Amino acid sequence: MRGKTFKVVQIVVAVGIVIGLVAALAACTPEESGASDVVGQGYVSGDGSVQTYDPGERKGPVAITGTAFEGDDVDTTEWAGDVVVVNTWYAACAPCRAEAPDLVELANSKDDVQFLGINTEDDAGAALAFQRTFEVPYPSIEDRTGVVIAGLNGVVPLQAVPTTVVLDQEGNVAARVIGQAEHSTLEALIDEVLAEAA
């Protein structure tokens, strides 16, 4: 009898672990924005695939407008002449959290580059808490309806969260990183676009 009880306890613990893992994975799945990848996990774990576009092949210009979580209006056309880095994210996305310190460091170190976040899932409370935690120095706009992402998909496919897009000085798409953007990769992409103007 004791052996049977022990086996039942093991099975219950195993089922509990599986349920916990499923719940944790589901927490990273954006269900409202449609900004998920093809398998519905919501982010591309460890992919980081990079697509660059030669100046003659670039689509755009891209114009993004919205209201930052702090209440300010954002319009990327006001940043004409600067390189712009656009990053999609949400607070519970593990790769978004992993890349946040690198994005912050690059935003603080690149004077002629504007950064903009597009948050696909969070309300203002969750988004602002994330921004405070990581000391994010640039604005993020709320896009739980998917309107901004849908508008960009005609120019550059945003197949997953996170996705990072580098726009050249004319607002055209110069590069895209699907999944977590590594610091060195993103810095090289930005520097390459900055060098074009020189």
Side-chain angles (χ1 to χ4, degrees):
M1 183 65 133
R2 206 168 186 196
K4 287 183 180 179
T5 304
F6 182 70
K7 282 191 173 193
V8 169
V9 169
Q10 283 181 317
I11 291 170
V12 169
V13 169
V15 168
I17 290 171
V18 170
I19 289 171
L21 288 172
V22 169
L25 289 174
C28 288
T29 303
E31 296 183 15
E32 297 172 16
S33 71
S36 61
D37 66 357
V38 292
V39 296
Q41 70 184 21
Y43 60 85
V44 177
S45 178
D47 180 27
S49 61
V50 176
Q51 173 71 49
T52 59
Y53 304 91
D54 291 330
E57 300 173 349
R58 293 178 185 165
K59 293 183 179 181
V62 171
I64 302 170
T65 59
T67 303
F69 285 105
E70 296 84 359
D72 301 321
D73 290 333
V74 176
D75 182 349
T76 58
T77 62
E78 294 177 0
W79 299 336
D82 287 344
V83 171
V84 177
V85 176
V86 179
N87 174 258
T88 62
W89 67 278
Y90 63 99
C93 163
C96 302
R97 298 181 75 80
E99 73 181 2
D102 291 335
L103 289 165
V104 167
E105 193 279 323
L106 287 168
N108 285 326
S109 66
K110 301 288 182 185
D111 292 333
D112 296 332
V113 181
Q114 302 291 333
F115 282 70
L116 174 65
I118 300 175
N119 186 297
T120 60
E121 296 299 316
D122 298 325
D123 61 19
L128 290 169
F130 179 98
Q131 291 180 189
R132 282 191 303 272
T133 297
F134 291 101
E135 299 179 358
V136 177
Y138 52 86
S140 283
I141 59 176
E142 181 268 330
D143 188 39
R144 288 187 288 173
T145 62
V147 171
V148 175
I149 297 292
L152 290 174
N153 276 332
V155 181
V156 58
L158 302 179
Q159 298 164 324
V161 175
T163 293
T164 304
V165 177
V166 179
L167 306 177
D168 66 19
Q169 291 87 343
E170 287 77 44
N172 298 318
V173 178
R176 177 190 64 183
V177 181
I178 299 175
Q180 182 177 335
E182 297 295 331
H183 184 284
S184 58
T185 301
L186 185 55
E187 184 170 36
L189 293 170
I190 293 168
D191 288 346
E192 187 176 314
V193 178
L194 286 170
E196 291 173 1

